[in-house]
mmCIF file with all atom_site columns, all heavy atoms in Angstrom:
data_model
loop_
_atom_site.group_PDB
_atom_site.id
_atom_site.type_symbol
_atom_site.label_atom_id
_atom_site.label_alt_id
_atom_site.label_comp_id
_atom_site.label_asym_id
_atom_site.label_entity_id
_atom_site.label_seq_id
_atom_site.pdbx_PDB_ins_code
_atom_site.Cartn_x
_atom_site.Cartn_y
_atom_site.Cartn_z
_atom_site.occupancy
_atom_site.B_iso_or_equiv
_atom_site.pdbx_formal_charge
_atom_site.auth_seq_id
_atom_site.auth_comp_id
_atom_site.auth_asym_id
_atom_site.auth_atom_id
_atom_site.pdbx_PDB_model_num
ATOM 1   N N   . SER B 1 220 ? -18.599 -11.243 -22.403 1.00 0.00 ? 220 SER B N   1
ATOM 2   C CA  . SER B 1 220 ? -19.251 -11.943 -21.290 1.00 0.00 ? 220 SER B CA  1
ATOM 3   C C   . SER B 1 220 ? -18.364 -13.059 -20.749 1.00 0.00 ? 220 SER B C   1
ATOM 4   O O   . SER B 1 220 ? -18.372 -13.337 -19.565 1.00 0.00 ? 220 SER B O   1
ATOM 5   C CB  . SER B 1 220 ? -20.584 -12.523 -21.750 1.00 0.00 ? 220 SER B CB  1
ATOM 6   O OG  . SER B 1 220 ? -21.444 -11.471 -22.118 1.00 0.00 ? 220 SER B OG  1
ATOM 7   N N   . ARG B 1 221 ? -17.586 -13.683 -21.629 1.00 0.00 ? 221 ARG B N   1
ATOM 8   C CA  . ARG B 1 221 ? -16.728 -14.780 -21.190 1.00 0.00 ? 221 ARG B CA  1
ATOM 9   C C   . ARG B 1 221 ? -15.610 -14.289 -20.264 1.00 0.00 ? 221 ARG B C   1
ATOM 10  O O   . ARG B 1 221 ? -15.228 -15.000 -19.356 1.00 0.00 ? 221 ARG B O   1
ATOM 11  C CB  . ARG B 1 221 ? -16.134 -15.491 -22.419 1.00 0.00 ? 221 ARG B CB  1
ATOM 12  C CG  . ARG B 1 221 ? -16.758 -16.850 -22.681 1.00 0.00 ? 221 ARG B CG  1
ATOM 13  C CD  . ARG B 1 221 ? -16.380 -17.382 -24.042 1.00 0.00 ? 221 ARG B CD  1
ATOM 14  N NE  . ARG B 1 221 ? -17.514 -17.250 -24.949 1.00 0.00 ? 221 ARG B NE  1
ATOM 15  C CZ  . ARG B 1 221 ? -17.443 -16.855 -26.199 1.00 0.00 ? 221 ARG B CZ  1
ATOM 16  N NH1 . ARG B 1 221 ? -16.286 -16.545 -26.736 1.00 0.00 ? 221 ARG B NH1 1
ATOM 17  N NH2 . ARG B 1 221 ? -18.523 -16.771 -26.933 1.00 0.00 ? 221 ARG B NH2 1
ATOM 18  N N   . VAL B 1 222 ? -15.078 -13.100 -20.511 1.00 0.00 ? 222 VAL B N   1
ATOM 19  C CA  . VAL B 1 222 ? -13.947 -12.629 -19.705 1.00 0.00 ? 222 VAL B CA  1
ATOM 20  C C   . VAL B 1 222 ? -14.382 -11.823 -18.483 1.00 0.00 ? 222 VAL B C   1
ATOM 21  O O   . VAL B 1 222 ? -13.562 -11.518 -17.625 1.00 0.00 ? 222 VAL B O   1
ATOM 22  C CB  . VAL B 1 222 ? -12.956 -11.769 -20.530 1.00 0.00 ? 222 VAL B CB  1
ATOM 23  C CG1 . VAL B 1 222 ? -12.431 -12.556 -21.724 1.00 0.00 ? 222 VAL B CG1 1
ATOM 24  C CG2 . VAL B 1 222 ? -13.578 -10.466 -20.971 1.00 0.00 ? 222 VAL B CG2 1
ATOM 25  N N   . CYS B 1 223 ? -15.659 -11.476 -18.385 1.00 0.00 ? 223 CYS B N   1
ATOM 26  C CA  . CYS B 1 223 ? -16.113 -10.591 -17.304 1.00 0.00 ? 223 CYS B CA  1
ATOM 27  C C   . CYS B 1 223 ? -15.925 -11.240 -15.940 1.00 0.00 ? 223 CYS B C   1
ATOM 28  O O   . CYS B 1 223 ? -16.490 -12.303 -15.677 1.00 0.00 ? 223 CYS B O   1
ATOM 29  C CB  . CYS B 1 223 ? -17.578 -10.223 -17.493 1.00 0.00 ? 223 CYS B CB  1
ATOM 30  S SG  . CYS B 1 223 ? -18.201 -9.180  -16.163 1.00 0.00 ? 223 CYS B SG  1
ATOM 31  N N   . PRO B 1 224 ? -15.129 -10.626 -15.056 1.00 0.00 ? 224 PRO B N   1
ATOM 32  C CA  . PRO B 1 224 ? -14.882 -11.245 -13.747 1.00 0.00 ? 224 PRO B CA  1
ATOM 33  C C   . PRO B 1 224 ? -16.100 -11.186 -12.827 1.00 0.00 ? 224 PRO B C   1
ATOM 34  O O   . PRO B 1 224 ? -16.131 -11.858 -11.803 1.00 0.00 ? 224 PRO B O   1
ATOM 35  C CB  . PRO B 1 224 ? -13.715 -10.419 -13.177 1.00 0.00 ? 224 PRO B CB  1
ATOM 36  C CG  . PRO B 1 224 ? -13.824 -9.099  -13.846 1.00 0.00 ? 224 PRO B CG  1
ATOM 37  C CD  . PRO B 1 224 ? -14.413 -9.354  -15.213 1.00 0.00 ? 224 PRO B CD  1
ATOM 38  N N   . LYS B 1 225 ? -17.095 -10.385 -13.192 1.00 0.00 ? 225 LYS B N   1
ATOM 39  C CA  . LYS B 1 225 ? -18.275 -10.229 -12.335 1.00 0.00 ? 225 LYS B CA  1
ATOM 40  C C   . LYS B 1 225 ? -19.520 -10.853 -12.956 1.00 0.00 ? 225 LYS B C   1
ATOM 41  O O   . LYS B 1 225 ? -20.628 -10.641 -12.479 1.00 0.00 ? 225 LYS B O   1
ATOM 42  C CB  . LYS B 1 225 ? -18.509 -8.739  -12.056 1.00 0.00 ? 225 LYS B CB  1
ATOM 43  C CG  . LYS B 1 225 ? -17.416 -8.096  -11.206 1.00 0.00 ? 225 LYS B CG  1
ATOM 44  C CD  . LYS B 1 225 ? -17.457 -8.664  -9.800  1.00 0.00 ? 225 LYS B CD  1
ATOM 45  C CE  . LYS B 1 225 ? -16.170 -8.383  -9.056  1.00 0.00 ? 225 LYS B CE  1
ATOM 46  N NZ  . LYS B 1 225 ? -16.138 -9.068  -7.752  1.00 0.00 ? 225 LYS B NZ  1
ATOM 47  N N   . HIS B 1 226 ? -19.363 -11.578 -14.061 1.00 0.00 ? 226 HIS B N   1
ATOM 48  C CA  . HIS B 1 226 ? -20.469 -12.260 -14.736 1.00 0.00 ? 226 HIS B CA  1
ATOM 49  C C   . HIS B 1 226 ? -21.627 -11.315 -15.060 1.00 0.00 ? 226 HIS B C   1
ATOM 50  O O   . HIS B 1 226 ? -22.793 -11.634 -14.870 1.00 0.00 ? 226 HIS B O   1
ATOM 51  C CB  . HIS B 1 226 ? -20.971 -13.447 -13.900 1.00 0.00 ? 226 HIS B CB  1
ATOM 52  C CG  . HIS B 1 226 ? -19.858 -14.332 -13.463 1.00 0.00 ? 226 HIS B CG  1
ATOM 53  N ND1 . HIS B 1 226 ? -19.120 -15.096 -14.337 1.00 0.00 ? 226 HIS B ND1 1
ATOM 54  C CD2 . HIS B 1 226 ? -19.306 -14.545 -12.244 1.00 0.00 ? 226 HIS B CD2 1
ATOM 55  C CE1 . HIS B 1 226 ? -18.185 -15.755 -13.679 1.00 0.00 ? 226 HIS B CE1 1
ATOM 56  N NE2 . HIS B 1 226 ? -18.257 -15.440 -12.404 1.00 0.00 ? 226 HIS B NE2 1
ATOM 57  N N   . VAL B 1 227 ? -21.244 -10.118 -15.535 1.00 0.00 ? 227 VAL B N   1
ATOM 58  C CA  . VAL B 1 227 ? -22.254 -9.111  -15.865 1.00 0.00 ? 227 VAL B CA  1
ATOM 59  C C   . VAL B 1 227 ? -23.018 -9.497  -17.149 1.00 0.00 ? 227 VAL B C   1
ATOM 60  O O   . VAL B 1 227 ? -24.170 -9.146  -17.311 1.00 0.00 ? 227 VAL B O   1
ATOM 61  C CB  . VAL B 1 227 ? -21.570 -7.722  -16.024 1.00 0.00 ? 227 VAL B CB  1
ATOM 62  C CG1 . VAL B 1 227 ? -22.518 -6.701  -16.610 1.00 0.00 ? 227 VAL B CG1 1
ATOM 63  C CG2 . VAL B 1 227 ? -21.044 -7.243  -14.681 1.00 0.00 ? 227 VAL B CG2 1
ATOM 64  N N   . ASP B 1 228 ? -22.368 -10.202 -18.038 1.00 0.00 ? 228 ASP B N   1
ATOM 65  C CA  . ASP B 1 228 ? -22.941 -10.563 -19.342 1.00 0.00 ? 228 ASP B CA  1
ATOM 66  C C   . ASP B 1 228 ? -23.297 -9.340  -20.195 1.00 0.00 ? 228 ASP B C   1
ATOM 67  O O   . ASP B 1 228 ? -24.457 -9.132  -20.544 1.00 0.00 ? 228 ASP B O   1
ATOM 68  C CB  . ASP B 1 228 ? -24.172 -11.466 -19.177 1.00 0.00 ? 228 ASP B CB  1
ATOM 69  C CG  . ASP B 1 228 ? -24.618 -12.087 -20.504 1.00 0.00 ? 228 ASP B CG  1
ATOM 70  O OD1 . ASP B 1 228 ? -23.882 -11.952 -21.507 1.00 0.00 ? 228 ASP B OD1 1
ATOM 71  O OD2 . ASP B 1 228 ? -25.709 -12.691 -20.530 1.00 0.00 ? 228 ASP B OD2 1
ATOM 72  N N   . PRO B 1 229 ? -22.289 -8.525  -20.533 1.00 0.00 ? 229 PRO B N   1
ATOM 73  C CA  . PRO B 1 229 ? -22.561 -7.370  -21.395 1.00 0.00 ? 229 PRO B CA  1
ATOM 74  C C   . PRO B 1 229 ? -23.117 -7.779  -22.760 1.00 0.00 ? 229 PRO B C   1
ATOM 75  O O   . PRO B 1 229 ? -23.973 -7.066  -23.310 1.00 0.00 ? 229 PRO B O   1
ATOM 76  C CB  . PRO B 1 229 ? -21.203 -6.686  -21.559 1.00 0.00 ? 229 PRO B CB  1
ATOM 77  C CG  . PRO B 1 229 ? -20.218 -7.441  -20.769 1.00 0.00 ? 229 PRO B CG  1
ATOM 78  C CD  . PRO B 1 229 ? -20.873 -8.625  -20.147 1.00 0.00 ? 229 PRO B CD  1
ATOM 79  N N   . ALA B 1 230 ? -22.676 -8.915  -23.295 1.00 0.00 ? 230 ALA B N   1
ATOM 80  C CA  . ALA B 1 230 ? -23.196 -9.357  -24.600 1.00 0.00 ? 230 ALA B CA  1
ATOM 81  C C   . ALA B 1 230 ? -24.700 -9.548  -24.513 1.00 0.00 ? 230 ALA B C   1
ATOM 82  O O   . ALA B 1 230 ? -25.439 -9.161  -25.416 1.00 0.00 ? 230 ALA B O   1
ATOM 83  C CB  . ALA B 1 230 ? -22.512 -10.648 -25.038 1.00 0.00 ? 230 ALA B CB  1
ATOM 84  N N   . GLY B 1 231 ? -25.163 -10.128 -23.408 1.00 0.00 ? 231 GLY B N   1
ATOM 85  C CA  . GLY B 1 231 ? -26.597 -10.304 -23.197 1.00 0.00 ? 231 GLY B CA  1
ATOM 86  C C   . GLY B 1 231 ? -27.301 -8.955  -23.135 1.00 0.00 ? 231 GLY B C   1
ATOM 87  O O   . GLY B 1 231 ? -28.348 -8.760  -23.759 1.00 0.00 ? 231 GLY B O   1
ATOM 88  N N   . ALA B 1 232 ? -26.705 -8.004  -22.403 1.00 0.00 ? 232 ALA B N   1
ATOM 89  C CA  . ALA B 1 232 ? -27.308 -6.672  -22.272 1.00 0.00 ? 232 ALA B CA  1
ATOM 90  C C   . ALA B 1 232 ? -27.478 -6.031  -23.644 1.00 0.00 ? 232 ALA B C   1
ATOM 91  O O   . ALA B 1 232 ? -28.525 -5.436  -23.936 1.00 0.00 ? 232 ALA B O   1
ATOM 92  C CB  . ALA B 1 232 ? -26.425 -5.789  -21.389 1.00 0.00 ? 232 ALA B CB  1
ATOM 93  N N   . ILE B 1 233 ? -26.460 -6.172  -24.499 1.00 0.00 ? 233 ILE B N   1
ATOM 94  C CA  . ILE B 1 233 ? -26.519 -5.539  -25.822 1.00 0.00 ? 233 ILE B CA  1
ATOM 95  C C   . ILE B 1 233 ? -27.601 -6.196  -26.674 1.00 0.00 ? 233 ILE B C   1
ATOM 96  O O   . ILE B 1 233 ? -28.390 -5.511  -27.335 1.00 0.00 ? 233 ILE B O   1
ATOM 97  C CB  . ILE B 1 233 ? -25.143 -5.605  -26.520 1.00 0.00 ? 233 ILE B CB  1
ATOM 98  C CG1 . ILE B 1 233 ? -24.103 -4.815  -25.711 1.00 0.00 ? 233 ILE B CG1 1
ATOM 99  C CG2 . ILE B 1 233 ? -25.238 -5.046  -27.934 1.00 0.00 ? 233 ILE B CG2 1
ATOM 100 C CD1 . ILE B 1 233 ? -22.683 -4.931  -26.231 1.00 0.00 ? 233 ILE B CD1 1
#
Side-chain angles (χ1 to χ4, degrees):
Chain B
S220 296
R221 253 168 255 138
V222 302
C223 178
K225 293 292 163 187
H226 310 292
V227 170
D228 192 9
I233 297 174

